[in-house]
Amino acid sequence: MTICLLIFAFMIVSFFMKKIPMSVTSMLVMVLLIITGCIDVKTALPSFGSTTVVTMVCMFIVAAGLSRTQMIAHLSKMLYKVTKGSFTKVLATYVVMTCILGQFIPSIVALFALVYPLVQGMCDEMHISPSKMMYPIAIASVSCAFIIEPIGPYAAWYITDNGYLQSYGWTATQFNMWTETSVIFPVGIITLLLAIFVVPKFLPEQPEMPTSMVQGHELKHQEPLSPVREVLGYGVFVAVIIALMLGVPSWEATMIGAIVIVASGVLTEREAINNMNMDIILLYVGVVVMGNALGQTGAADMLGKWLASILGHTTNGYLIGAAFYIVAFLMTSVLYNRAVTTVLEPLAIMTCVSMGCDPRGPIILCALASMSSLITPMATAVVPMAMGAGGYSQKTILKAGLLPGVIRGVVGVLIAMTLYPIG
């Protein structure tokens, strides 16, 4: 048990320090667990071929097929036509456009890098200061992406959540396709309104620092697909989503979709491989193996009881949910958001399991908080990108980002812990 806890502590510290890629840390942790006897090879290695992993990989390919179509280009042109008018109308158009695109583009950094040139061009054309536009666009990129999970690249992410639940010993309830969306979507709509009507009031009229071009992983321009492949890009994605909603096994639906996407030429073999997001896959596998090891050695039960004692054995679901949101929000302010959710989700499950309560609400609130903290440049690369594009100081983003974070927390806790009470 002691060795397992030490390896768990190493994993947490390594995730937060970011000296080693998180996926590499995850694999190193798995090797250490096997070598030290905390888990056996026959239990650890099959995680690579689990139905959850197959579903994740195939869904990434299906979503990439949709992104390969001209959907984004057509959507951008349509919204561009309605940007003539007041500042609020212009801002609202680009915030909404960013939110819509964020449901399909799997990287918030790529999303911001995609939208930023359009926003900068409109600022130049209409003589609007970029300091009034860039931070609301950053909020939309981070806090309003993936708010409708069933239509995005994380449509099958609920399978991943269920994998975590099972690994850490909870089987009484499960996530479905709409579980997280039922909380994140209404909070996202409120966030859009805040980004359009409230946040600009906290932003300076002119940049406080010299502005700079955003450097990010921009989406590469590609030639349009043939009409048949264009239709297949849309059709396969829709078919996979419908199949998941009808209860077809997730790995079957997504794998068939991925095969059609590649076989039809919507994506080349290399494009499909590049979009498998293996860093996420390896990260997930390592964390699941860590969970199995904690459970087998009894360390998970001990950690859960310790965290439950910190909460004072309260049975008030709203207080428990608020505690996890606040911890995740503060941690994300100084640490990488993916690292925070990767660490806190297992801790939330272990805590709730030891208390005998449903962990779905706290898990959703951890994810929500990691998408809410934009008050420092350490949470996500989008924040320093926006600071450079809008010429913001640290004081400004703290002032502008704190209120949306608090409001998202209050609304999120009320919705999550009402829909998914602990008892």
Side-chain angles (χ1 to χ4, degrees):
M1 180 189 298
T2 302
I3 294 176
C4 189
L5 287 173
L6 288 174
I7 295 175
F8 183 57
F10 163 76
M11 182 184 75
I12 294 174
V13 172
S14 182
F15 281 171
F16 289 161
M17 292 181 67
K18 296 191 293 183
K19 299 296 184 182
I20 306 174
M22 293 173 65
S23 57
V24 176
T25 295
S26 189
M27 291 297 95
L28 176 59
V29 163
M30 184 179 72
V31 172
L32 291 174
L33 290 170
I34 294 173
I35 292 175
T36 57
C38 294
I39 195 168
D40 60 90
V41 175
K42 293 182 179 179
T43 302
L45 293 187
S47 299
F48 285 102
S50 69
T51 56
T52 299
V53 168
V54 172
T55 299
M56 292 168 65
V57 169
C58 294
M59 193 65 217
F60 284 138
I61 294 174
V62 171
L66 179 65
S67 297
R68 179 65 180 83
T69 67
Q70 294 300 298
M71 177 197 68
I72 293 176
H74 293 329
L75 186 60
S76 298
K77 289 178 181 178
M78 179 187 69
L79 292 175
Y80 194 83
K81 294 179 181 179
V82 299
T83 55
K84 303 296 183 180
S86 67
F87 163 76
T88 301
K89 183 178 179 181
V90 172
L91 177 60
T93 298
Y94 280 101
V95 166
V96 172
M97 179 181 74
T98 302
C99 175
I100 293 173
L101 295 179
Q103 308 315 307
F104 304 98
I105 298 175
S107 166
I108 58 177
V109 175
L111 172 62
F112 187 83
L114 173 70
V115 176
Y116 157 75
L118 303 177
V119 176
Q120 184 63 61
M122 184 54 62
C123 287
D124 294 340
E125 181 180 337
M126 298 189 65
H127 306 290
I128 297 173
S129 173
S131 63
K132 285 291 187 181
M133 294 279 287
M134 294 303 174
Y135 193 71
I137 298 301
I139 290 177
S141 298
V142 177
S143 300
C144 300
F146 320 129
I147 61 174
I148 312 178
E149 285 191 357
I151 66 170
Y154 296 100
W157 194 254
Y158 70 96
I159 303 295
T160 306
D161 289 327
N162 288 335
Y164 281 129
L165 289 178
Q166 184 176 2
S167 296
Y168 288 87
W170 181 265
T171 57
T173 55
Q174 286 191 324
F175 285 82
N176 61 44
M177 184 180 292
W178 296 97
T179 303
E180 291 195 357
T181 299
S182 64
V183 178
I184 295 176
F185 178 74
V187 174
I189 297 301
I190 293 174
T191 305
L192 289 178
L193 297 175
L194 291 171
I196 296 168
F197 298 107
V198 178
V199 172
K201 299 181 185 300
F202 294 90
L203 299 174
E205 294 295 331
Q206 296 296 328
E208 303 165 292
M209 304 171 66
T211 59
S212 61
M213 291 295 291
V214 170
Q215 299 295 324
H217 302 288
E218 299 189 22
L219 300 181
K220 295 180 180 179
H221 173 73
Q222 293 176 300
E223 293 297 322
L225 296 169
S226 68
V228 173
R229 289 171 177 167
E230 182 81 9
V231 172
L232 281 172
Y234 293 105
V236 170
F237 187 89
V238 172
V240 168
I241 298 305
I242 292 175
L244 291 173
M245 295 175 66
L246 293 176
V248 176
S250 58
W251 73 271
E252 292 182 8
T254 54
M255 178 172 281
I256 292 172
I259 291 172
V260 172
I261 288 292
V262 178
S264 63
V266 175
L267 293 179
T268 66
E269 179 185 10
R270 176 50 53 186
E271 287 173 334
I273 292 172
N274 290 341
N275 281 282
M276 285 182 178
N277 292 304
M278 289 308 298
D279 57 333
I280 296 177
I281 300 301
L282 296 178
L283 175 64
Y284 169 77
V285 169
V287 172
V288 166
V289 172
M290 182 77 250
N292 290 332
L294 288 170
Q296 289 184 14
T297 60
D301 185 58
M302 188 189 75
L303 278 175
K305 290 179 179 178
W306 176 68
L307 290 170
S309 67
I310 293 178
L311 292 174
H313 299 288
T314 179
T315 57
N316 188 309
Y318 297 100
L319 291 178
I320 293 174
F324 277 104
Y325 180 88
I326 292 171
V327 169
F329 183 88
L330 294 176
M331 289 176 67
T332 305
S333 300
V334 296
L335 302 165
Y336 182 44
N337 56 357
R338 183 183 293 176
V340 171
T341 53
T342 301
V343 169
L344 282 185
E345 183 167 347
L347 291 177
I349 298 172
M350 287 186 286
T351 301
C352 291
V353 167
S354 69
M355 299 171 65
C357 61
D358 191 340
R360 289 179 299 175
I363 288 174
I364 294 172
L365 290 170
C366 287
L368 183 69
S370 73
M371 299 162 58
S372 303
S373 185
L374 286 85
I375 58 177
T376 72
M378 292 171 283
T380 168
V382 172
V383 176
M385 289 167 66
M387 291 177 72
Y392 303 118
S393 66
Q394 171 62 64
K395 180 179 179 181
T396 293
I397 63 169
L398 177 62
K399 178 176 64 175
L402 194 57
L403 181 61
V406 172
I407 292 176
R408 282 170 61 86
V410 172
V411 176
V413 168
L414 290 175
I415 296 176
M417 303 315 296
T418 299
L419 292 178
Y420 309 106
I422 62 172

